[in-house]
Amino acid sequence: MCGIFAYKGQKTNAAQLVINGLKKLEYRGYDSWGIAFKTDHRVNVYKEVGKIGEFDVSTLQEKVDSPTESSMAMGHSRWATHGGVTKENAHPHYSADKSIAIVHNGIIENYVELRKELKEKGYSFKSETDTEVIAHLVQEYKDLGHIEAVKKALSRLKGRYAVLILCAEDNRLIAARRGSPLIVGKGDNEFFIASDIPAFLQYTRKVMYLDDDQMVIINDDAVFYDLKSNKEIEKRIVEIDWNAESAEKGEFPHFMIKEITEQKETITRAINQDEKQFTHIAQEIKKAYGTYLVGCGTAGKVCLAGSYLFAKIAKRHVNVTFGSEFPSLQDFITDRSLVIAVSQSGETADTLEALEVAKKKGAKVLSIINVEGSSMDRISDYAIHLKAGPEKAVASTKATTAQLAILTLLSYALDNRLEEGKILLVNTASQINDMLNPRYEDHILKLAEKIQDVESMYVIGKGSNYPMALEAAIKLQEVSYIHAEGFAGGELKHGPIALIDKGVPCIAIVANDETKHEIISNAIEVKSRGGYIIGISPENHDVFDYWIKVPEVGEASPIVNIIPIQILAYQLAILRKNNPDMPRNLAKSVTVK
Ligand code: F6R
């Protein structure tokens, strides 16, 4: 949700460098963008509506009315929250006297009061955003000196922010965070600040994470402060193990298909980790009086699948809820509870809030996340990393199956059968390697061509594959824009079957287990009302009008069953001329509530 990137160093093409870095963060927001760069005693701002990926950097000079040579610049790609998609609402925002420019990610909850107060003092607003108040506040306090003015302005804000500030009269780049991510990259005599690492991965893998209520001032060095104690703090430099290629599309037309294909390796990476982690978390679950799995969207569906896996494999009950619903259930949480967050980004505001609520109640918090150093990673008592590499397509694919693999392995660890779980998942990874080939994709493409113009489609599953029916619907909705819904097969006859008409596609996810018989009979019920049945199953069946074969992998079936649906969703998006990497109205990580 909004990408932020800034540079300060020796290079003189900071403006162009920031535009190129922002292009790598476009998955975080793509409705408009803008940059600010410093020349002599001036802060220049340039903004546009539309996708930054489509901007030709070489045309920057002809579009701005000042020289573009600069060694300090910052930029922002926006996913609109406050105010429509207009050039005025795009960031950066100037202070009234244009001496200060601000980019911001997050939501300032008290911006209405601050706006009123500033208007009464004579400030006029050019945008409808919550961000603009920050720029005017810094100007309002400028007699305190630039740094103190920024600190004072930040102390007036309620809500979440990652904010960067450039000032015409100051050569320092300032950044601060509360609740929204900011990472500092350290190169040779140069620094980068970004909301996500891929923006600067081509320049450095040395990073320093800003925590909540911390500020960094970058000049020749980066100096960190704790805003609460107003004291300087030391920061550890962490070397990350992502390489620059892992954040690029390479030979693939889109990140989504690249990331789907990477599932050949990511399951193996997820499970080939220190076994002690799994046994440790299994012990924590055993000790806890009540375990909650919490996640949003796809990660929420993975949590639901986790509850089936824990029940079946380890005979353990765990509670499941969406991040946004967790605060309403908090009365049950005690200091003996365990809350496990599942997330790709580790930054989703609703999930993060659930962890914060749990921590306040004294509960232990764990997270299963992809992005190391993310907010959830930093506030958790313990974390398991997915090791899936950067996931840049908005629709989650490789992170989903890595999360499922980790929850499957945890279930086995809980039942003291970790080795058995590992053997199952190693076999699953090898079967996925064989499954993902051009012939398989072509077979799914034929189906996509057949159903590309339908208005609605449905997905049914049972047991641990019921959450996969829900997840399948999300995948189909978000990139193909076809109305899709997922159901527990047995629920159809209680209402939804009224939606079935002649030719309506219904995907039946049929695992080769005790649920098979019932889900097949649900598919027969749909077919007898005219439905077109697409079977995802290790074996063919008479009821299937179209069969997509998946390997037989026992309890790991949710992992293999979701993959052909990811491919189908991708191909439907392409056939319907949608950009699968940047679906409309969505952004990769939802850092606002
Ligand atoms: C859908 C999708 C989203 C995310 C959700 C949570 O494909 O990716 O539903 O799963 O926004 O995001 P994370 O996993 O980053 O917490």
Side-chain angles (χ1 to χ4, degrees):
M1 177 121 350
C2 300
I4 287 179
F5 182 44
Y7 172 84
K8 173 152 172 62
Q10 314 278 314
K11 297 190 173 88
T12 54
N13 62 339
Q16 291 83 351
L17 187 150
V18 160
I19 292 176
N20 286 331
L22 270 185
K23 287 185 182 194
K24 298 188 195 290
L25 291 188
E26 200 176 14
Y27 58 95
R28 297 181 66 91
Y30 34 85
D31 58 38
S32 52
W33 63 276
I35 56 161
F37 55 97
K38 177 103 193 289
T39 51
D40 295 327
H41 296 287
R42 213 177 133 176
V43 177
N44 309 275
V45 167
Y46 180 75
K47 323 195 222 190
E48 275 199 10
V49 167
K51 294 188 169 69
I52 193 169
E54 287 159 11
F55 184 77
D56 177 357
V57 165
S58 66
T59 64
L60 180 67
Q61 182 60 79
E62 70 204 46
K63 295 194 167 147
V64 296
D65 61 0
S66 66
T68 58
E69 280 84 42
S70 168
S71 54
M72 176 154 75
M74 65 182 186
H76 184 272
S77 72
R78 180 169 187 247
W79 187 81
T81 53
H82 288 69
V85 180
T86 63
K87 203 161 157 174
E88 290 70 33
N89 289 337
H91 300 212
H93 292 285
Y94 269 135
S95 57
D97 63 4
K98 295 199 169 176
S99 69
I100 290 148
I102 305 260
V103 295
H104 161 232
N105 179 12
I107 295 212
I108 305 303
E109 285 159 13
N110 59 336
Y111 87 102
V112 176
E113 299 95 284
L114 292 172
R115 205 173 157 105
K116 185 163 169 280
E117 175 189 318
L118 287 160
K119 274 188 174 167
E120 281 164 9
K121 290 190 165 143
Y123 288 89
S124 67
F125 283 77
K126 304 271 179 304
S127 76
E128 304 155 288
T129 64
D130 51 343
T131 305
E132 201 180 342
V133 297
I134 313 175
H136 294 325
L137 276 176
V138 178
Q139 182 185 327
E140 172 66 12
Y141 299 128
K142 79 173 180 198
D143 289 348
L144 298 173
H146 184 45
I147 305 291
E148 289 310 311
V150 170
K151 285 186 188 163
K152 174 84 178 162
L154 294 177
S155 73
R156 302 283 323 273
L157 308 179
K158 293 204 175 112
R160 289 172 185 262
Y161 59 75
V163 70
L164 296 187
I165 302 148
L166 276 192
C167 175
E169 299 305 328
D170 199 294
N171 264 337
R172 293 169 289 184
L173 174 64
I174 304 179
R177 78 159 268 178
R178 187 197 293 151
S180 296
L182 270 187
I183 302 145
V184 177
K186 182 178 173 6
D188 290 337
N189 298 317
E190 59 187 5
F191 288 93
F192 308 85
I193 308 182
S195 36
D196 209 348
I197 291 166
F200 56 71
L201 204 47
Q202 75 184 99
Y203 303 105
T204 183
R205 292 197 285 124
K206 291 191 180 118
V207 305
M208 290 173 280
Y209 295 100
L210 213 59
D211 284 325
D212 280 352
D213 295 304
Q214 290 182 352
M215 176 164 124
V216 59
I217 300 173
I218 294 182
N219 204 354
D220 295 334
D221 212 340
V223 183
F224 291 81
Y225 289 92
D226 181 283
L227 286 169
K228 283 190 172 153
S229 64
N230 207 11
K231 293 224 169 81
E232 197 178 317
I233 44 172
E234 285 293 315
K235 274 283 160 188
R236 199 165 59 92
I237 296 179
V238 179
E239 184 110 11
I240 45 147
D241 62 3
W242 289 359
N243 59 31
E245 294 74 51
S246 64
E248 302 293 340
K249 276 198 289 238
E251 75 217 31
F252 291 90
H254 297 98
F255 280 108
M256 185 173 176
I257 191 67
K258 176 186 182 235
E259 289 159 9
I260 289 172
T261 311
E262 282 175 350
Q263 292 172 112
K264 286 178 171 197
E265 298 112 37
T266 45
I267 310 289
T268 313
R269 285 215 296 273
I271 57 167
N272 272 350
Q273 303 197 50
D274 186 357
E275 288 185 3
K276 279 194 226 105
Q277 304 190 84
F278 295 94
T279 36
H280 174 78
I281 294 198
Q283 287 309 324
E284 293 293 336
I285 297 172
K286 279 183 189 161
K287 268 197 305 202
Y289 280 77
T291 299
Y292 275 87
L293 284 172
V294 185
C296 295
T298 291
K301 308 299 176 275
V302 170
C303 291
L304 189 57
S307 72
Y308 281 89
L309 295 167
F310 278 42
K312 195 165 170 206
I313 300 168
K315 320 283 174 276
R316 269 279 151 172
H317 169 73
V318 289
N319 305 283
V320 180
T321 186
F322 301 129
S324 55
E325 287 302 314
F326 187 84
S328 311
L329 295 166
Q330 62 171 298
D331 295 339
F332 284 110
I333 304 294
T334 72
D335 57 2
R336 298 166 91 187
S337 314
L338 173 67
V339 177
I340 305 180
V342 176
S343 172
Q344 188 286 127
S345 62
E347 299 292 349
T348 302
D350 288 327
T351 311
L352 196 54
E353 191 190 19
L355 290 192
E356 285 163 0
V357 165
K359 273 196 95 139
K360 274 200 194 121
K361 294 248 165 184
K364 262 223 167 105
V365 303
L366 306 177
S367 50
I368 298 173
I369 43 169
N370 196 31
V371 180
E372 297 180 27
S374 57
S375 301
M376 287 179 212
D377 199 5
R378 303 175 75 68
I379 72 164
S380 294
D381 297 302
Y382 206 88
I384 296 187
H385 300 134
L386 305 181
K387 303 274 175 202
E391 187 181 72
K392 293 184 84 177
V394 164
S396 181
T397 54
K398 61 177 179 173
T400 310
T401 47
Q403 289 160 352
L404 286 166
I406 283 175
L407 287 176
T408 309
L409 204 51
L410 264 181
S411 308
Y412 278 97
L414 253 176
D415 204 37
N416 301 320
R417 292 189 286 145
L418 185 60
E419 256 337 282
E420 190 185 326
K422 215 158 173 192
I423 291 166
L424 169 72
L425 288 162
V426 166
N427 174 44
T428 304
S430 132
Q431 303 257 25
I432 289 171
N433 192 25
D434 295 344
M435 176 175 103
L436 283 170
N437 62 51
R439 253 184 322 122
Y440 195 68
E441 286 179 26
D442 273 356
H443 177 63
I444 299 173
L445 178 60
K446 288 203 184 77
L447 171 67
E449 285 166 348
K450 209 182 278 255
I451 63 172
Q452 61 178 301
D453 294 320
V454 298
E455 272 176 23
S456 292
M457 49 196 300
Y458 299 96
V459 192
I460 55 172
K462 189 169 169 60
S464 58
N465 281 292
Y466 155 55
M468 293 303 100
L470 301 179
E471 164 54 10
I474 296 190
K475 254 349 43 109
L476 293 162
Q477 291 157 2
E478 67 182 334
V479 297
S480 77
Y481 310 154
I482 294 174
H483 169 242
E485 284 186 64
F487 297 106
E491 279 296 291
L492 277 187
K493 54 187 176 295
H494 300 290
I497 202 159
L499 297 167
I500 304 298
D501 208 347
K502 196 166 178 324
V504 170
C506 175
I507 300 177
I509 304 178
V510 185
N512 216 358
D513 60 13
E514 70 288 347
T515 63
K516 178 175 170 177
H517 181 66
E518 269 186 50
I519 199 81
I520 288 283
S521 76
N522 299 143
I524 293 169
E525 288 156 14
V526 175
K527 188 157 177 153
S528 62
R529 270 89 181 168
Y532 178 79
I533 307 297
I534 300 150
I536 295 193
S537 167
E539 285 165 6
N540 202 351
H541 193 280
D542 290 348
V543 72
F544 299 158
D545 293 295
Y546 204 95
W547 176 43
I548 302 175
K549 186 173 177 176
V550 285
E552 163 61 275
V553 290
E555 304 302 356
S557 70
I559 302 174
V560 296
N561 287 340
I562 198 60
I563 293 176
I565 299 171
Q566 296 169 347
I567 299 171
L568 178 65
Y570 172 75
Q571 287 167 337
L572 284 169
I574 300 297
L575 291 169
R576 290 164 66 93
K577 310 220 174 333
N578 304 338
N579 180 344
D581 285 349
M582 294 179 207
R584 68 184 178 206
N585 308 336
L586 292 171
K588 180 67 180 161
S589 74
V590 186
T591 54
V592 292
K593 298 200 9 86

